[in-house]
């Protein structure tokens, strides 16, 4: 392999008779390398910076390892006998530096588990331009991190997922977002295979029995946005016609594994429309010369690689018959990732402490542009739903600000959480709403123009916004939300003169205390028969006097990132209007009412009344919100037996007549072409009636349809009902049915059926099935990411939670390695479903010794607090809520 690479390399790497200077060496050698200078725990020093990469990789996904040759043009600030850079689990066979044609042999050491590496030289390199050259091989990963491979059907494929710090597991380099330079890429593949990278492919030749794919140099990129995909992919091509912002058509491809070939057109046409909307918003052409939209079965989300976005199969692979929820995900996530092509790729954070700006803005943009693309799907309302959900995390005492210092590599992955996405997106929406859409857009354009193809910071963004706003208070108001943890609580009290005094404090749940914080809150209110009024509440208290009549709406439009507390009379008046409120205001009502109960204020009767009133709202997000909040207490085990029975009666009483009126047919495409909101409401109602209310007739209908589907009648069951129907099959059929369903899942490559079937097996709540699944089920077709999903399902299901926690304790080390950014830092949350003070102490004793100071430490603290807080609430108010539900007749 090494000889072949040398013989066919496009690089001008001369052979040498000297032995490689990169053997691992003794512990003493490594200690000597470490002693040269402190090992950077996070950001590298300014001693060296890259200027350009030339990367040549031999990638055969059928093998367990790949190999590479890399050259990095580098600028050295001062004379030095070592260079710090990044590399992780790279088997280095050759490394040297070249200065003015003179070669300096190097030794390569990996000095930190996160991938901090050091090159050492026997004599000092002079300051100035240096070319670093490497030859190495490295393992493919089985999970979605670094360069990973998956067998789909009879074929192996490989992809890369490099954010945040997994580029260093694919090639040696300077793996930080602030180092933004061109890449010239060559990929060597088996004959006939497709290769994809960030730039257009300029030639393919056959050399040494391999296809050699050469790509044009990229525009400046950080390492985390590089992409290398190889396999026997299927693809469909098209172009986005010229727009006022772009003179020439933009080439677009959808690229996926073979079994998805028939379902690519929806994504192709949708991508074209979304690109046009984004160009219009930014006032700029798409920043790169081509766009590839690529799918993989195991990435739990999507990634904005410049010109080569990567998605989970289920996000792109569909047709117009797909569910409303799946099409909403397409619109939002594709708009999010393509929005990143400007905001994140074209302009990139200087360091990971500003990654919030990338993700928060893209999250807001995803919902906004997705809604512009398909208004009928009501995508935009989902932005506020996600933001209110984030408040449940932000309300914890254990947490972080959106924007916070990141000093170690272990802290980087923890920045990719609901605070960055949900809270950040909601805060962006709030500022945009307060400034006005046009001014906010102009600020974005100013920021983009000033930092095109470069790096920027939060201060740069805030400065651009302050300039266009013409209001000096905007800057500190924005920073009060980005630089401080917590959720503001705005408390309204009638002043007896037709208005209200308002005061701000930090929201906390019952039994918790948190440091006092003050925000600059864009406070917008209205009454049901009046106009919206906005003011900036930047003092501890103030006053509002709504103009008009009707119930007070304390968060007009729902865009404010705050919770509110009302006098009982105002709560009741607002709840009475819940079925008529616009989506955002209805979601704000649900969130604040739920939060008030958690804090020990709102009554159980008000909570139930709010859920019923919201269920009548015409918006599908709002109509499910109230019962969803009540469902928290059900899932947590906070209700006693009579409370559970009352909750089920409430669901039947509320939804059975509606389902009867809507009708239900589980067959495939029975509701194709139906109004998206109506379809989504039916899905919500069927799930509640079958899973929670346990309606016997509905469960029989679903079970019969699922068994017919598994028996070969693929038209018997629409994918919308997969999860619920397969749950019924497993519950009724026990272990035998679970085994049959698992076998059917592994025999299938269907991106909807396979995860739904495995999920139903994992969440059965039956210990017999859980034991078989985690201790005996060892099928080689089961992907590592799927096994992690099975563990999540077992530990999360109420009936197997204790068994799963015990299993988790015995297998923690196995699970905590190699899961990638989307799993490892969230591992503690697996046990977050408990609701007990005593259990929180058990979790603390188990996790703290393993995670203190490491990736996952913050999620550990949050999980412990969630479980303890739930236990406190259960002890204080569980009986009250159960008694109120028991009265439902």
């Amino acid at each position: 392999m090494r000889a072949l690479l040398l013989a066919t390399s496009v690089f001008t790497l001369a052979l040498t008779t000297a032995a490689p200077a990169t053997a691992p060496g003794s512990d003493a050698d490594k200690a000597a390398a470490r002693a040269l200078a402190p090992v950077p725990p996070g950001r590298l020093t300014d001693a060296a910076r890259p200027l350009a990469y030339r990367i040549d990789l031999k990638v055969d996904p059928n093998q367990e390892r790949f190999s590479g040759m890399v050259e990095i043009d580098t600028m050295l600030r001062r004379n030095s006998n070592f260079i710090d850079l990044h590399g992780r689990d790279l088997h280095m066979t050759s490394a040297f530096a070249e200065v003015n044609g003179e070669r300096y042999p190097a030794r390569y050491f990996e000095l930190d588990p996160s991938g901090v590496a050091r090159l050492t030289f026997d004599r000092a390199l002079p300051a100035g331009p240096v070319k670093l050259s490497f030859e190495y091989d490295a393992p493919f990963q089985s999970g979605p991190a670094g360069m990973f491979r998956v067998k789909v059907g009879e074929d192996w494929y490989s992809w890369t997922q490099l954010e945040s710090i997994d580029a260093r597991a694919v090639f040696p380099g300077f793996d930080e977002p602030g180092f933004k330079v061109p890449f010239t890429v060559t990929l060597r593949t088996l004959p006939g295979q497709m290769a994809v990278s960030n730039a257009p492919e300029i030639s393919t030749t056959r050399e040494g029995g391999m296809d050699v794919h050469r790509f044009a140099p990229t525009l400046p990129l950080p390492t985390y946005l590089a992409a290398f995909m190889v396999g026997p992919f299927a693809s469909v091509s098209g172009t986005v016609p010229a727009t006022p912002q772009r003179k020439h058509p933009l080439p677009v491809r959808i690229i996926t594994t073979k079994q998805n070939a028939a379902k690519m057109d929806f994504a192709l046409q949708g991508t074209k429309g979304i690109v046009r909307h984004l160009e219009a918003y930014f006032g700029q052409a798409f920043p790169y010369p081509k766009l590839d939209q690529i799918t993989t079965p195991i990435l739990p989300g999507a990634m904005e690689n410049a010109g080569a976005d990567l998605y989970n199969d289920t996000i792109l692979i569909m047709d117009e018959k797909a569910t409303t929820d799946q099409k909403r995900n397409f619109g939002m996530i594709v708009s999010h990732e393509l929005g990143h092509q400007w905001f994140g790729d074209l302009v990139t954070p200087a360091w990971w402490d500003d990654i919030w700006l990338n993700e928060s803005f893209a999250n807001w943009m995803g919902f906004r542009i997705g809604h512009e693309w398909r208004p009928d799907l009501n995508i935009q309302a989902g932005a506020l739903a996600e933001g209110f959900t984030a408040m449940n995390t932000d309300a914890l005492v254990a947490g972080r600000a959106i924007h916070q210092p990141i000093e170690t590599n272990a802290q980087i992955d923890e920045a990719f959480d609901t605070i960055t996405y949900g809270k950040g997106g909601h805060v962006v929406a709030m500022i945009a709403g307060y400034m006005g859409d046009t001014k906010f857009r102009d600020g974005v354009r100013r920021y983009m123009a000033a930092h095109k193809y470069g790096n920027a910071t939060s201060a740069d963004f805030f400065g651009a916004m302050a300039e266009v706003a013409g209001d000096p208070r905007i800057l500190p108001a924005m920073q009060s939300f980005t630089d401080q943890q917590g959720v503001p609580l705005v408390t309204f009290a009638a002043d007896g003169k037709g208005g209200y005094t308002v005061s701000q404090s930090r929201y906390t749940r019952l039994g918790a205390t948190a440091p006092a914080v003050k925000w600059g809150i864009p406070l917008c209110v209205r009454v049901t028969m009046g106009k919206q009024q906005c003011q900036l509440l930047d003092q501890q208290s103030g006053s509002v006097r709504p103009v008009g009549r009707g119930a007070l709406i304390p968060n007009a439009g729902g865009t404010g990132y705050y919770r509110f507390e009302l006098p009982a009379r105002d709560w009741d008046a607002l709840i009475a209007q819940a079925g008529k409120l616009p989506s955002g205001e209805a979601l704000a009502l649900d969130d604040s009412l739920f939060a008030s109960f958690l804090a020990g204020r709102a009554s159980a009767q008000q909570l139930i009344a709010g859920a019923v009133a919201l269920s009548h709202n015409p918006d599908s997000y709002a109509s499910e919100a109230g019962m969803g909040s009540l469902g928290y207490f059900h899932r947590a085990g906070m209700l006693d037996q009579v409370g559970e029975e009352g909750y089920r009666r409430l669901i039947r009483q509320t939804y059975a007549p509606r389902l009867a009126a809507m009708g239900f047919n589980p067959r495939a495409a029975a509701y194709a072409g139906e109004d998206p909101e109506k379809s989504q409401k039916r899905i919500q109602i069927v799930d509640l009636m079958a899973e929670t209310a346990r309606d016997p007739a509905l469960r029989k209908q679903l079970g019969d349809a699922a068994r017919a589907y598994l028996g070969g009648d693929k038209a018997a069951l629409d994918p919308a009902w997969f999860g619920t129907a397969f749950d019924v099959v497993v519950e009724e059929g026990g272990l035998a049915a679970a085994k049959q369903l698992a076998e059917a899942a592994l025999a299938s490559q269907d991106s909807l059926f396979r995860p739904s079937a495995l999920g139903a097996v994992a969440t059965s709540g039956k210990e017999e099935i859980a034991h078989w699944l985690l201790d005996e089920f060892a099928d080689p077709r089961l992907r590592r990411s799927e096994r992690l999903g099975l563990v999540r399902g077992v530990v999360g299901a109420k009936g197997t939670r204790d068994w799963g926690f015990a299993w988790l304790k015995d297998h923690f080390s196995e699970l905590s390695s190699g899961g990638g950014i989307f799993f490892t830092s969230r591992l503690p949350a697996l046990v977050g479903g408990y609701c007990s003070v005593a259990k929180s102490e058990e979790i603390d004793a188990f996790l703290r010794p393993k995670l203190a100071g490491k990736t996952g430490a913050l999620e550990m603290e949050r999980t412990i607090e969630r479980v303890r807080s739930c236990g406190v609430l259960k002890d204080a108010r569980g009986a009250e809520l159960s008694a109120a539900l028991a009265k439902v007749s």
Side-chain angles (χ1 to χ4, degrees):
M1 186 181 293
R2 176 174 176 272
L4 176 63
L5 280 171
L6 282 170
T8 60
S9 175
V10 296
F11 301 155
T12 56
L13 297 176
L15 289 169
T16 175
T17 56
T22 57
S26 66
D27 290 343
D29 293 334
K30 196 168 187 177
R34 186 184 297 276
L36 291 171
V39 178
R43 206 167 189 170
L44 297 176
T45 69
D46 65 352
R49 63 182 176 86
L51 303 176
Y53 289 84
R54 288 174 294 281
I55 295 178
D56 188 327
L57 301 177
K58 181 181 178 182
V59 182
D60 179 359
N62 296 283
Q63 306 302 318
E64 294 186 352
R65 301 180 72 85
F66 63 94
S67 59
M69 301 175 68
V70 172
E71 289 182 344
I72 311 173
D73 293 336
T74 309
M75 182 62 67
L76 198 61
R77 286 178 62 90
R78 60 189 72 89
N79 297 353
S80 180
N81 63 346
F82 72 93
I83 294 177
D84 286 338
L85 69 166
H86 295 110
R88 189 173 68 234
D89 299 329
L90 305 180
H91 174 237
M92 195 67 61
T93 55
S94 175
F96 60 88
E98 192 173 333
V99 181
N100 295 324
E102 184 178 1
R103 179 175 294 196
Y104 292 71
R107 302 194 73 182
Y108 170 86
F109 299 93
E110 295 181 2
L111 301 180
D112 180 274
S114 70
V116 180
R118 180 166 288 169
L119 285 176
T120 66
F121 304 88
D122 291 338
R123 53 197 176 108
L125 298 172
V130 176
K131 183 172 72 175
L132 303 177
S133 298
F134 306 87
E135 296 177 46
Y136 64 98
D137 59 85
F140 285 105
Q141 304 300 313
S142 58
M147 183 174 284
F148 62 97
R149 67 178 190 139
V150 176
K151 190 175 186 181
V152 182
E154 297 303 315
D155 298 303
W156 285 94
Y157 300 80
S158 72
W159 301 264
T160 52
Q161 161 60 38
L162 305 186
E163 191 176 35
S164 58
I165 57 171
D166 286 316
R168 61 193 65 179
V170 179
F171 58 91
F174 298 83
D175 193 14
E176 295 182 3
F179 296 126
K180 197 170 179 184
V181 301
F183 286 70
T184 302
V185 173
T186 299
L187 296 177
R188 300 172 186 274
T189 74
L190 295 177
Q193 294 207 335
M194 182 182 289
V196 183
S197 191
N198 304 92
E201 187 172 352
I202 56 176
S203 71
T204 303
T205 58
R206 182 69 54 83
E207 301 175 17
M210 304 288 284
D211 279 358
V212 181
H213 307 262
R214 293 183 173 90
F215 298 85
T218 70
L219 293 160
L221 297 177
T223 50
Y224 81 87
L225 291 176
F228 319 113
M229 322 299 188
V230 171
F233 293 107
S235 67
V236 62
S237 302
T239 59
V240 185
T243 63
Q245 299 79 28
R246 177 173 36 78
K247 294 181 180 179
H248 305 290
L250 174 70
V252 179
R253 292 187 297 181
I254 308 301
I255 299 171
T256 186
T257 52
K258 289 179 180 178
Q259 86 286 353
N260 296 327
K263 288 190 175 183
M264 294 188 285
D265 190 64
F266 182 94
L268 180 64
Q269 302 309 323
T271 295
K272 292 178 184 180
I274 288 169
V275 167
R276 289 194 293 267
H277 283 290
L278 285 164
E279 288 181 325
Y281 184 86
F282 287 113
Q284 295 181 29
F286 188 81
Y288 302 101
K290 60 91 176 173
L291 172 60
D292 289 328
Q293 301 273 74
I294 309 151
T295 82
T296 173
I298 71 169
L299 183 72
M303 179 62 205
E304 67 270 18
N305 309 309
D309 279 8
L310 183 64
Y311 302 83
N312 182 273
D313 284 349
T314 58
I315 298 170
L316 296 192
I317 303 304
M318 69 186 77
D319 56 27
E320 192 57 46
K321 297 176 183 178
T323 65
T324 298
D325 194 52
Q326 195 180 4
K327 287 185 281 191
R328 282 175 174 173
N329 277 338
F330 174 88
M332 188 281 285
I333 296 173
V334 171
S335 298
H336 176 122
E337 301 306 331
L338 295 186
H340 270 312
Q341 301 291 304
W342 287 265
F343 211 99
D345 296 7
L346 180 66
V347 180
T348 306
W351 178 241
W352 295 111
D353 55 356
D354 282 319
I355 197 64
W356 76 269
L357 188 55
N358 263 21
E359 300 300 341
S360 299
F361 180 85
N363 222 47
W364 174 79
M365 185 62 100
F367 286 103
R368 177 200 171 95
I369 297 298
H371 187 79
E372 288 184 7
W373 166 68
R374 284 284 299 267
D376 61 311
L377 295 174
N378 190 26
I379 292 172
Q380 194 158 17
L384 299 179
E386 190 169 313
F388 288 122
T389 298
M391 289 185 185
N392 294 323
T393 297
D394 200 24
L396 299 171
V397 178
R400 66 174 187 88
I402 298 175
H403 180 223
Q404 66 171 16
I406 292 181
E407 298 173 350
T408 70
N409 289 320
Q411 295 173 323
I412 294 171
D413 282 0
E414 290 183 337
F416 295 84
D417 65 0
T418 187
I419 298 303
T420 291
Y421 291 88
K423 178 180 181 177
H426 203 133
V427 169
V428 169
M430 177 174 65
I431 298 300
Y434 185 76
M435 287 178 61
D437 192 65
T438 300
K439 281 188 176 181
F440 183 78
R441 183 206 63 196
D442 291 347
V444 169
R445 291 180 174 182
R446 182 185 296 249
Y447 167 80
M448 301 296 294
H451 304 284
K452 190 174 183 179
Y453 296 113
N455 296 93
T457 66
S458 295
D460 297 321
F461 180 74
F462 290 149
M465 288 297 150
E467 286 178 18
V468 300
D471 183 348
R473 299 179 303 165
I474 286 291
L475 180 59
M478 286 192 292
Q479 290 176 318
S480 75
F481 280 90
T482 61
D483 294 354
Q484 299 182 126
Q485 178 194 349
V487 180
L489 176 68
V490 179
T491 300
F492 290 73
D495 64 6
K497 304 174 184 177
Y500 297 84
T501 60
V502 293
S503 59
Q504 63 163 293
S505 59
R506 180 172 171 179
Y507 172 83
T508 56
R509 289 178 57 158
L510 185 67
T513 57
V517 180
K518 188 174 74 173
W519 290 267
I521 304 172
L523 180 66
C524 294
V525 304
R526 71 177 183 93
V527 288
T528 49
M529 291 177 283
K531 293 184 178 181
Q532 176 176 304
Q533 300 165 258
C534 295
Q535 65 187 66
L536 192 65
L537 181 63
D538 55 1
Q539 300 300 317
Q540 207 67 47
S541 61
S543 62
V544 296
R545 187 175 296 277
V547 177
R549 295 180 295 109
L552 174 68
I553 299 169
N555 189 348
T559 57
Y561 189 81
Y562 56 86
R563 286 171 163 169
F564 54 82
E565 190 60 68
L566 299 174
R569 181 176 176 178
D570 289 279
W571 270 127
D572 293 341
L574 183 57
I575 289 169
Q577 296 296 316
K580 303 174 185 177
L581 295 175
S583 175
E585 294 172 354
L587 292 169
L589 161 61
D590 172 68
D591 173 74
S592 287
L593 182 59
F594 176 67
S596 181
F597 183 84
L598 297 185
R601 293 185 287 269
S603 70
Q605 288 82 0
Q606 286 175 317
L607 194 67
I608 295 167
V612 173
L614 283 164
S615 75
H616 293 281
N617 195 287
D619 180 89
S620 61
Y621 289 102
S623 65
E624 74 169 338
M627 287 298 177
S629 293
L630 279 180
Y632 163 78
F633 305 104
H634 163 70
R635 293 187 302 274
M638 198 176 292
L639 306 177
D640 59 23
Q641 184 176 346
V642 294
E644 291 281 355
E645 292 171 355
Y647 177 54
R648 286 192 288 272
R649 283 197 303 275
L650 179 66
I651 291 172
R652 287 194 294 270
Q653 183 183 96
T654 304
Y655 293 113
R658 299 182 202 179
L659 184 59
M662 296 175 83
F664 175 62
N665 182 350
R667 292 189 67 80
Y671 301 108
E674 186 178 51
D675 173 70
E677 283 287 277
K678 184 176 181 181
S679 285
Q680 186 64 17
K681 284 192 173 187
R682 182 184 288 105
I683 291 171
Q684 295 163 357
I685 292 172
V686 167
D687 182 68
L688 283 168
M689 288 291 291
E691 297 277 22
T692 306
R694 305 185 65 76
D695 181 87
L698 181 59
R699 288 173 66 84
K700 183 179 186 307
Q701 194 175 4
L702 286 164
D704 289 347
R707 283 181 281 270
Y709 179 94
L710 295 170
D713 181 4
K714 300 307 179 187
L717 186 68
D718 191 271
W721 320 115
F722 276 176
T724 306
F726 296 148
D727 284 348
V728 172
V729 168
V730 173
E731 182 169 342
E732 293 178 350
L735 181 59
K739 290 181 176 181
Q740 291 170 359
L741 189 57
E743 170 56 33
L746 297 188
S748 172
Q749 302 301 327
D750 186 292
S751 60
L752 295 177
F753 170 74
R754 183 171 172 136
S756 295
L758 289 174
V761 176
T763 57
S764 70
K766 297 176 181 291
E767 286 193 12
E768 181 185 30
I769 294 174
H771 169 67
W772 168 76
L773 198 59
L774 299 189
D775 288 337
E776 299 175 9
F777 185 45
D779 195 299
R781 294 171 297 174
L782 185 70
R783 300 160 186 159
R784 186 174 191 275
S785 60
E786 291 171 333
R787 178 162 173 78
L788 297 177
L790 297 181
V791 174
R792 184 184 296 111
V794 168
V795 180
K798 192 186 300 186
T800 51
R801 189 171 289 151
D802 289 337
W803 187 94
F805 187 21
W807 188 93
L808 181 65
K809 291 178 181 179
D810 293 336
H811 297 82
F812 188 85
S813 296
E814 167 200 336
L815 293 172
S816 61
S817 61
I821 176 177
F822 298 106
F823 184 80
T824 306
S825 63
R826 293 153 179 78
L827 189 55
L830 293 181
V831 293
Y834 280 110
C835 187
S836 161
V837 174
K839 190 61 71 171
S840 73
E841 295 169 354
E842 182 182 346
I843 294 169
D844 191 332
F846 170 61
L847 289 180
R848 193 170 300 281
K850 300 179 182 300
L851 293 177
K854 301 178 183 177
T855 299
L858 175 57
E859 191 57 40
M860 172 192 70
E861 298 290 357
R862 287 170 169 165
T863 296
I864 293 167
E865 184 179 346
R866 284 189 189 102
V867 174
R868 181 178 62 248
S869 177
C870 185
V872 169
L873 184 69
K874 180 179 180 179
D875 294 342
R877 308 203 69 182
E880 174 195 350
L881 182 56
S882 292
L885 286 167
K887 294 177 182 178
V888 174
S889 57

